Amino acid sequence: MVPGLLRFEHVIIDSQGPKNPHIKAVGDVDQDGSADVVVASSSGGPAVWYEYPLWTKHVIAPSGRWTTDGKLVDMDGDNDLDLLLSDGAGNRLEWYENPLPKDNPAKDKWKRHIIGRPSAHDIKTADMDRDGQLEIVARQQDKKGSRITIWEQANREKWGKRFIRCRIGEGLALGDINSDGRPDVVVPGYWYEAPKHLFEDPWEKHPFACWTPDAVVRLADMNKDGRIDIIMSRSEGHYRLSWFEAPEDPSRGWVEHWAGGRDTGWVEHVIDDSVDYVHGLLVCDINNDGEYDIVAAEMHQSPHKRVIVYLNAGDAREWNRQVIAHTGSHNICAADIGNTGQLDIIGANWSGDYQPAEMWRQLPT
């Protein structure tokens, strides 16, 4: 084995899982101290969770057409993980309440709660206004992706919402870009500055890059300078995988150069320009060396269908690429399955001939 590369064991969680599984999520559903896996179908259902370690399948909802993004998150403040997702057939957001703490999530019914319309391609959650309650930030896709929806919870069954206009496309992230203590909203090419009053004040738009409108967006301080950087891949075609280094003033806007060029002060660092259809993108320290690494998965539409680990060789300037699969994947997740101290990769293709729920378990090197 090449020194420095990682070792993975391929594990099939379910070879006959939910059909066309858009949603993949990981978390400790039953609070036994180990991470479990959630998969939901986009073609009629079901939504299920797989109990570690035997991957016993339990039904959350028997039928539905859930689209693309889903989150395991405590929606009701009772300290267990509920399932937040988007119902494409009903064009709405909804969440399923974990039967804990009183009942058993493996045996008892998960109650459905309707949030409202529209549905979403991308879903994020955060306490945006620091009032102790989660807000939901969501965005649809293509032409419908021309606005961002911010949802505020009035009570368990009632939500208010506000729309922010943006260019068409897909991709969404939340993070404090300008270090003012409030999470901002990032889409491909632009970030929106969170105001003090989320639902009354305007959201100021700031450019950071020229990029395709369809992307996966992730945030992390890649070079440890105390500023949040932006990582992007094109999700629906050939382009590149890059990270954008944040300047001292991230809100500077476009500056015109005498030669006709434009820049915002954000510096692009290309990681890989050979990739396409990268709809699965993770930023994590996968080899426990204190540096942020990248995991990318090309969808089944790609001619390559690679699942790739990019090991950060220092300050995110050099990368060691390791291809761990050629079967493709979509909306991959990372978690320490089995509490080994190492991150594993979980995923499944959303369509095509090869759709098992699977894991690449990291082995000791």
Side-chain angles (χ1 to χ4, degrees):
M1 179 170 177
V2 178
L5 296 185
L6 304 181
R7 298 173 61 226
F8 291 91
E9 174 191 12
H10 182 225
V11 176
I12 298 294
I13 296 173
D14 188 356
S15 62
Q16 300 295 322
K19 185 178 180 181
N20 295 335
H22 276 213
I23 292 170
K24 280 75 68 174
V26 291
D28 188 0
V29 172
D30 55 358
Q31 295 187 335
D32 67 349
S34 296
D36 308 297
V37 174
V38 169
V39 177
S41 168
S42 64
S43 300
V48 302
W49 71 277
Y50 297 96
E51 182 181 357
Y52 180 84
L54 300 179
W55 303 124
T56 306
K57 187 190 306 187
H58 306 290
V59 175
I60 296 173
S63 62
R65 296 182 181 275
W66 299 286
T67 61
T68 308
D69 208 356
K71 296 286 181 287
L72 280 169
V73 60
D74 183 6
M75 294 292 296
D76 50 4
D78 63 354
N79 297 313
D80 56 56
L81 294 177
D82 309 298
L83 180 60
L84 169 65
L85 33 63
S86 174
D87 174 11
N91 187 32
R92 64 194 180 195
L93 292 185
E94 60 187 26
W95 64 280
Y96 286 82
E97 183 179 352
N98 192 325
L100 286 173
K102 294 182 179 180
D103 296 314
N104 186 342
K107 297 179 180 179
D108 296 304
K109 182 179 179 179
W110 291 59
K111 182 180 177 181
R112 183 177 67 175
H113 301 270
I114 304 300
I115 295 171
R117 296 184 174 188
S119 60
H121 178 274
D122 302 287
I123 302 172
K124 306 297 177 186
T125 61
D127 184 0
M128 301 288 290
D129 54 5
R130 296 173 292 181
D131 67 349
Q133 285 191 315
L134 285 179
E135 279 74 45
I136 300 171
V137 182
R139 184 186 182 195
Q140 292 179 289
Q141 187 182 29
D142 298 328
K143 291 182 179 180
K144 293 182 179 180
S146 63
R147 61 184 183 178
I148 301 157
T149 310
I150 302 178
W151 296 88
E152 182 180 43
Q153 188 171 16
N155 55 56
R156 184 176 294 196
E157 305 299 339
K158 186 177 180 180
W159 294 76
K161 63 187 174 185
R162 175 184 181 173
F163 295 116
I164 303 172
R165 302 301 301 184
C166 64
R167 69 169 179 165
I168 64 170
E170 63 184 70
L172 181 70
L174 302 180
D176 188 3
I177 300 297
N178 59 353
S179 303
D180 67 351
R182 292 188 292 271
D184 305 300
V185 176
V186 185
V187 300
Y190 297 90
W191 67 277
Y192 293 81
E193 184 176 347
K196 183 176 181 180
H197 302 289
L198 298 181
F199 287 82
E200 294 85 22
D201 296 341
W203 288 68
E204 188 174 355
K205 175 182 174 181
H206 304 285
F208 69 88
C210 290
W211 196 265
T212 64
D214 50 329
V216 181
V217 185
R218 300 289 183 255
L219 308 178
D221 182 1
M222 298 299 295
N223 56 353
K224 303 178 184 176
D225 66 353
R227 296 192 286 265
I228 298 296
D229 307 305
I230 301 174
I231 305 92
M232 290 195 296
S233 64
R234 187 177 185 191
S235 52
E236 306 294 341
H238 177 78
Y239 206 47
R240 59 186 181 267
L241 167 63
S242 295
W243 71 278
F244 290 82
E245 183 177 354
E248 186 173 348
D249 178 9
S251 61
R252 186 179 75 172
W254 293 114
V255 174
E256 305 290 339
H257 293 299
W258 65 270
R262 308 171 76 206
D263 81 80
T264 60
W266 292 75
V267 179
E268 180 179 4
H269 301 278
V270 178
I271 300 170
D272 192 344
D273 61 3
S274 75
V275 294
D276 49 24
Y277 292 95
V278 175
H279 204 290
L281 184 63
L282 306 173
V283 180
C284 57
D285 183 6
I286 199 165
N287 59 353
N288 293 326
D289 68 349
E291 301 281 354
Y292 278 119
D293 308 302
I294 305 288
V295 183
E298 296 170 313
M299 295 191 291
H300 72 279
Q301 298 101 307
S302 165
H304 310 295
K305 300 180 179 64
R306 295 170 296 186
V307 180
I308 310 171
V309 174
Y310 299 90
L311 297 176
N312 186 345
D315 291 328
R317 295 297 199 274
E318 297 182 12
W319 302 87
N320 295 321
R321 188 178 78 173
Q322 181 179 355
V323 179
I324 64 171
H326 288 91
T327 49
S329 200
H330 166 267
N331 280 6
I332 53 174
C333 307
D336 180 1
I337 303 294
N339 301 313
T340 65
Q342 297 173 307
L343 288 177
D344 311 298
I345 303 165
I346 298 95
N349 282 309
W350 70 271
S351 187
D353 297 331
Y354 181 81
Q355 299 185 19
E358 57 190 342
M359 173 174 67
W360 293 271
R361 185 198 303 275
Q362 190 175 172
L363 302 175
T365 55

